Amino acid sequence: MALEDEFPNLRFERPSPGVLRIVLDGPGLNAVNPDMHRELADVWTAVDHDAETRVALLQGAGKAFSAGGSFDLIDGVMADYDTRVRVMGEARDLVFNVINCSKPIVSAMHGPAVGAGLVAGLLADVSVVARTARIIDGHTRLGVAAGDHAAICWPLLCGMAKAKYYLLTCDTLTGEEAERIGLVSLCVDDDQVHTRALEVAETLAAGAQTALRWTKHTLNHWYRAMAPAFDASLAYEFLGFGGPDAAEGLASHREKRAPNFGAGPS
């Protein structure tokens, strides 16, 4: 089956020999709806088995990389237990499928970079970010634990002190600051982010594929070693989606106001 048929909510292009460009292209600044969430988790397995692809390049269309989960996705997770369990499994698959994909992955992030798109963007083997990009892990602002990738990679990428600060406060990181603290690989001017990311992808596509893939595989053991912490964070996140803080957090986003969270357990 063609990738376009298997993953209709993603767009595919082949800009150079061996390079597969995967484009997040949807309403609401490429917000991830339930169908796209599932496809974004599964596409990396298909990439791994695609004989034409040596390197995958992930980017967003229009003014954003990805604005995070759609309200429809979050509503479903909060309202229905079966949906919550399914989406939790997809979130886990997204992380491990990116990590375990043998092909190198390059991300090009501009504008808002939030949610499931950010997961793949930061776990990519080379992350190229626009100088004015706005990277936000907004989980605690939504009222749930930062669980969909943060525990497995943020402390390794930028250190525990910075990871705790940005994950607890949900402060926005510019691309420039993200590069400074080591969260991303490269920061470039906004109008160069897609060009530079493609150059990196083309360089990798022209390289020794077994050497690149085995290097990725061994380096990603650092992430695999953090799997227990990731599993715990994911469980706490989705436990939180059934609680009052998540309901208040979502309502505050919809109503464009500050949340009024309770005191929490004593």
Side-chain angles (χ1 to χ4, degrees):
M1 182 181 294
L3 291 171
E4 293 80 0
D5 297 328
E6 190 173 358
F7 305 99
N9 291 277
L10 301 172
R11 180 153 56 85
F12 299 94
E13 302 167 355
R14 296 194 182 271
S16 299
V19 177
L20 175 68
R21 181 187 282 140
I22 304 170
V23 183
L24 306 174
D25 188 0
L29 298 177
N30 307 323
V32 175
N33 62 31
D35 292 332
M36 186 187 288
H37 190 267
R38 181 177 61 255
E39 292 179 17
L40 192 58
D42 292 343
V43 70
W44 309 107
T45 302
V47 166
D48 208 15
H49 293 104
D50 182 47
E52 293 184 59
T53 300
R54 292 184 170 195
V55 179
L57 170 58
L58 179 67
Q59 68 183 62
K63 297 180 179 180
F65 180 65
S66 177
S70 68
F71 286 151
D72 285 348
L73 176 64
I74 299 171
D75 278 335
V77 168
M78 290 174 55
D80 180 69
Y81 174 79
D82 289 341
T83 301
R84 194 176 312 150
V85 171
R86 175 180 58 77
V87 175
M88 182 173 70
E90 292 170 0
R92 189 177 192 278
D93 288 345
L94 170 56
V95 168
F96 285 116
N97 287 347
V98 170
I99 290 171
N100 291 326
C101 177
S102 68
K103 315 284 180 69
I105 299 169
V106 178
S107 63
M109 294 184 279
H110 73 290
V114 189
L118 181 62
V119 174
L122 290 183
L123 285 171
D125 304 297
V126 179
S127 49
V128 183
V129 64
R131 200 168 302 282
T132 65
R134 300 189 303 283
I135 295 172
I136 308 168
D137 188 291
H139 282 83
T140 59
R141 169 63 177 79
L142 183 59
V144 297
D148 65 4
H149 74 298
I152 206 168
C153 70
W154 281 60
L156 286 171
L157 293 171
C158 65
M160 186 63 80
K162 290 295 187 183
K164 284 184 175 179
Y165 176 79
Y166 284 105
L167 296 173
L168 292 174
T169 65
C170 298
D171 276 6
T172 300
L173 274 157
T174 63
E176 195 164 34
E177 178 66 4
E179 182 192 46
R180 189 187 73 81
I181 67 175
L183 189 65
V184 299
S185 306
L186 298 172
C187 174
V188 298
D189 290 339
D190 290 14
D191 61 354
Q192 292 298 307
V193 64
H194 293 145
T195 300
R196 185 70 182 101
L198 179 57
E199 290 172 352
V200 172
E202 289 172 337
T203 298
L204 294 175
Q209 295 305 297
T210 53
L212 292 172
R213 294 174 195 181
W214 291 343
T215 298
K216 169 179 177 169
H217 178 79
T218 52
L219 287 173
N220 277 355
H221 281 313
W222 286 92
Y223 289 152
R224 295 184 188 96
M226 293 297 103
F230 167 61
D231 276 343
S233 73
L234 195 64
Y236 286 129
E237 176 188 358
F238 280 82
L239 178 64
F241 273 120
D245 281 346
E248 169 60 17
L250 181 59
S252 70
H253 276 294
R254 280 194 160 118
E255 297 164 13
K256 296 181 171 52
R257 59 171 174 81
N260 182 22
F261 294 127
S266 58

